[in-house]
């Protein structure tokens, strides 16, 4: 189905509240769509501690669509997912990504957050590339938004008016509350400490060089327990980013903030007396040990009100166990870029935001639910969920398992066209349902469009 050609397109003056990965992504998408964008960041980016960010094909495709110079993010291109025995470290479940780019058109990148952010910021505010460079203003913390006039007031006393406002201000979003969404949340049953290990330091200590595997690696997670170690290589393999999960009763960090003083290494090691000695040795030389507060949010009822919308963690916070948080923010940004492009935007902002919610909320909510399940059962994790022939494979409901096919065969343009047709009361002739091709058979036995 050919994309419609909107007749009432007009250039908008857009304000983005939040200058993280989601904020920079949406600034790029809306700049490429022909609009003027200003990003308002509450901090000055000083003192940030870096962790890894996973960007599978469903996120990477938009970086290329926007002509982002991905090489500047110094990614590791992942070649496999490895689940290891908790005590011995022997691989017990491996999902190969050797044919990943051939199947899906794009690679699976692993970035260091700060490098990825710098890469996106350059595309958002730099002179090169299509569209007017976005403006970035730091130390602008959102205080309130007048939904009638679309005026943002910041704590520094500055007030600005925009045609469209995008709340990309993270899990503690101020914009979310302003549009009437008040999260129902509870602390997760597990907590997490993150640390960084320099590959060079590990090699000098006589430890395994995990960077050579170019893999997302997991210890544990298959016994229905909260203990799990996740290793993400980044910076071209020079840095190993570790996420260390354990039961909340062994360390509750719900009242501690990321970016505070580093936790002692003994605190990181204490929950893992039986852990594989190789990865235990890596953790013992870990640096920048930071708590990651984990909360479970009930799905939100909507993602926009009037001419204000939210995206990323502001719109659908999720547990990290599907490695899809950044990709969902990038997809949100892509949806807004498409909806406000000359091909689709006819001048009606609220109508476009209605379609944005209709497109993004079901998909993000599905990933959100799957991420919660994968917290305690790694067989629910995208990739490992395809390894059905292993003796310990067991999932809650095989028909609801999230698969690589569902994530990467998704066509957002077709999803938007279907939702637009429904909103306007016209018939959609495309051979897609919610962006997935009719007839696609998923590994869980579901056939898209089958009765």
């Amino acid at each position: 189905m050919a994309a419609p050609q909107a007749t009432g397109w007009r250039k908008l003056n857009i304000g983005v509240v939040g200058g993280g990965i989601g904020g920079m992504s949406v600034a790029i998408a809306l700049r490429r769509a022909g609009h003027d964008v200003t990003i308002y960041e509450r901090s000055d980016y000083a003192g940030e501690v870096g962790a890894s960010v996973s960007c599978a094909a469903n996120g990477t495709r938009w970086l290329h669509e926007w002509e982002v110079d991905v090489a500047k993010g110094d990614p590791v291109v992942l070649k496999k997912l490895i689940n290891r025995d908790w005590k011995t470290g022997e691989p017990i479940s491996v999902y190969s990504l050797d044919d990943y780019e051939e199947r899906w058109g794009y690679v699976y990148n692993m970035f260091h957050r700060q490098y990825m952010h710098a890469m996106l910021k350059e595309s958002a505010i730099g002179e090169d590339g299509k569209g007017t460079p976005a403006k970035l203003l730091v130390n602008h913390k959102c205080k309130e938004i007048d939904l009638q006039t679309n005026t943002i007031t910041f704590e520094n006393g500055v007030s600005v008016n925009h045609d469209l406002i995008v709340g990309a201000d993270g899990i503690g979003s101020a914009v979310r509350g302003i549009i009437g969404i008040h999260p129902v949340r509870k602390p997760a049953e597990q907590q997490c400490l993150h640390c960084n290990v320099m590959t060079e330091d590990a090699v000098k200590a006589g430890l395994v060089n995990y960077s050579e595997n170019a893999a997302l690696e997991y210890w544990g997670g298959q016994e229905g327990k909260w203990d799990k170690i996740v290793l993400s290589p980044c910076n071209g393999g020079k840095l190993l980013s570790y996420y260390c999960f354990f039961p909340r009763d062994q360390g509750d960090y719900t009242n501690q903030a990321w970016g505070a003083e580093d936790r002692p290494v003994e605190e990181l090691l204490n929950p893992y007396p039986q852990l594989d000695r190789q990865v235990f040795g890596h953790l013992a030389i870990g640096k920048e040990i930071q708590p990651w507060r984990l909360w479970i949010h009930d799905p939100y009822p909507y993602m926009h009100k009037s001419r204000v919308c939210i995206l990323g963690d502001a719109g659908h916070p999720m547990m990290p166990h599907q490695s899809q948080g950044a990709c969902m923010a990038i997809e949100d940004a892509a949806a807004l870029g498409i909806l406000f492009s000359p091909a689709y935007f006819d001048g009606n902002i609220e109508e476009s935001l209605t379609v944005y919610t209709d497109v993004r909320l079901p998909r993000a909510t599905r990933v959100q639910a799957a991420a919660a399940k994968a917290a305690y059962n790694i067989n629910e994790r995208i990739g490992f969920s395809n390894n059905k022939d292993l003796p310990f494979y067991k999932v809650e409901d095989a028909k609801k398992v999230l698969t690589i096919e569902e994530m990467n065969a998704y066509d957002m343009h077709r999803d938007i066209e279907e939702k637009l047709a429904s909103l306007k009361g016209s018939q959609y002739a495309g051979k897609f349902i919610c962006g997935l091709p009719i007839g696609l058979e998923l590994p869980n036995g579901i056939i898209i469009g089958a009765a």
Side-chain angles (χ1 to χ4, degrees):
M1 179 177 177
Q5 291 299 310
T7 57
W9 187 88
R10 57 192 171 96
K11 177 181 283 194
L12 301 178
N13 181 7
I14 300 171
V16 176
V17 178
I21 287 173
M24 291 299 168
S25 295
V26 77
I28 298 168
L30 291 169
R31 167 187 175 173
R32 297 287 187 257
H35 303 287
D36 293 332
V37 183
T38 304
I39 308 160
Y40 302 96
E41 167 57 34
R42 63 186 173 190
S43 72
D44 59 5
Y45 297 117
E48 289 202 347
V49 176
S52 60
V53 177
S54 184
C55 193
N58 62 304
T60 298
R61 71 175 61 243
W62 298 109
L63 303 183
H64 289 280
E65 177 85 10
W66 300 330
E67 299 181 333
V68 173
D69 189 345
V70 174
K72 289 187 175 179
D74 196 21
V76 169
V77 175
L78 295 181
K79 299 301 181 186
K80 61 184 72 172
L81 309 179
I82 304 173
N83 183 207
R84 297 182 179 275
D85 182 88
W86 182 258
K87 295 179 181 179
T88 69
E90 289 298 311
I92 58 174
S93 180
V94 177
Y95 186 82
S96 174
L97 302 175
D98 285 345
D99 63 347
Y100 190 85
E101 184 177 12
E102 181 182 349
R103 291 179 72 192
W104 308 118
Y106 303 91
V107 300
Y108 193 142
N109 285 306
M110 184 62 64
F111 294 100
H112 185 289
R113 181 176 295 274
Q114 286 163 303
Y115 281 66
M116 183 183 191
H117 184 266
M119 172 191 79
L120 292 170
K121 184 170 75 168
E122 181 174 317
S123 287
I125 69 175
E127 292 296 328
D128 294 338
K130 180 182 175 183
T132 303
K135 298 176 183 177
L136 172 62
L137 299 176
V138 298
N139 298 314
H140 278 64
K141 186 176 182 180
C142 177
K143 181 179 180 181
E144 59 186 12
I145 299 173
D146 185 324
L147 297 180
Q148 299 299 316
T149 63
N150 247 36
T151 300
I152 313 171
T153 300
F154 299 95
E155 290 191 357
N156 60 13
V158 173
S159 292
V160 293
N161 177 264
H162 289 283
D163 299 316
L164 167 65
I165 296 170
V166 181
D169 49 343
I171 195 167
S173 173
V175 178
R176 179 177 60 214
I178 290 167
I179 66 171
I181 300 174
H182 303 288
V184 176
R185 67 173 193 169
K186 62 181 179 180
E189 291 300 317
Q190 66 180 181
Q191 290 290 282
C192 179
L193 285 172
H194 174 270
C195 76
N196 287 322
V197 175
M198 298 301 296
T199 300
E200 182 181 16
D201 292 343
V203 172
K204 285 180 179 177
L207 298 167
V208 171
N209 183 358
Y210 290 119
S211 71
E212 294 177 343
N213 298 333
L216 259 176
E217 307 201 37
Y218 300 76
W219 282 256
Q222 70 280 87
E223 307 95 346
K225 300 177 182 177
W226 298 116
D227 296 312
K228 182 166 63 180
I229 306 294
V230 183
L231 161 61
S232 309
C234 54
N235 277 156
K238 296 183 289 292
L239 183 70
L240 304 173
S241 180
Y242 280 97
Y243 298 86
C244 305
F245 300 93
F246 46 83
R248 186 158 55 92
D249 59 18
Q250 293 186 29
D252 191 341
Y253 296 100
T254 52
N255 294 317
Q256 298 195 39
W258 182 284
E261 185 177 349
D262 290 350
R263 308 304 303 174
V265 69
E266 293 77 21
E267 209 167 283
L268 177 66
L269 301 177
N270 283 342
Y272 307 126
Q274 296 183 306
L275 179 62
D276 167 25
R277 292 296 95 179
Q278 278 292 333
V279 70
F280 189 90
H282 275 238
L283 300 184
I285 59 173
K287 300 175 181 177
E288 298 179 319
I289 301 170
Q290 291 283 309
W292 189 2
R293 299 177 295 179
L294 298 176
W295 296 83
I296 297 175
H297 287 234
D298 286 354
Y300 301 155
Y302 51 89
M303 291 178 66
H304 84 282
K305 187 174 184 179
S306 300
R307 290 177 289 144
V308 178
C309 68
I310 50 179
L311 62 68
D313 283 347
H316 39 72
M318 59 186 66
M319 296 285 278
H321 301 287
Q322 293 290 359
S323 304
Q324 275 286 323
C327 285
M328 289 297 98
I330 290 170
E331 283 194 0
D332 292 344
L336 289 170
I338 294 168
L339 282 162
F340 287 95
S341 70
Y344 293 85
F345 181 49
D346 63 3
N348 189 327
I349 294 172
E350 292 192 39
E351 182 177 273
S352 295
L353 291 182
T354 296
V355 176
Y356 169 68
T357 288
D358 290 346
V359 166
R360 294 305 305 148
L361 194 56
R363 183 162 161 90
T365 298
R366 171 138 171 73
V367 176
Q368 191 179 39
K373 290 180 182 178
Y376 54 86
N377 183 357
I378 203 165
N379 297 308
E380 299 271 2
R381 200 267 182 208
I382 302 167
F384 295 127
S385 62
N386 287 34
N387 290 347
K388 298 179 291 183
D389 296 331
L390 295 174
F392 58 80
Y393 184 88
K394 185 178 181 180
V395 295
E396 185 176 307
D397 184 341
K399 297 295 185 182
K400 294 182 180 179
V401 165
L402 195 62
T403 67
I404 278 182
E405 289 75 10
E406 183 177 345
M407 297 309 298
N408 291 346
Y410 174 73
D411 189 321
M412 189 182 293
H413 287 89
R414 307 294 85 83
D415 196 5
I416 284 173
E417 288 161 11
E418 182 185 4
K419 300 300 193 301
L420 270 171
S422 176
L423 183 69
K424 295 179 180 295
S426 58
Q427 186 173 0
Y428 174 66
K431 299 184 183 299
F432 291 79
I433 295 177
C434 296
L436 293 174
I438 292 173
L440 174 68
E441 184 172 358
L442 304 177
N444 57 13
I446 298 293
I447 299 175
I448 303 302

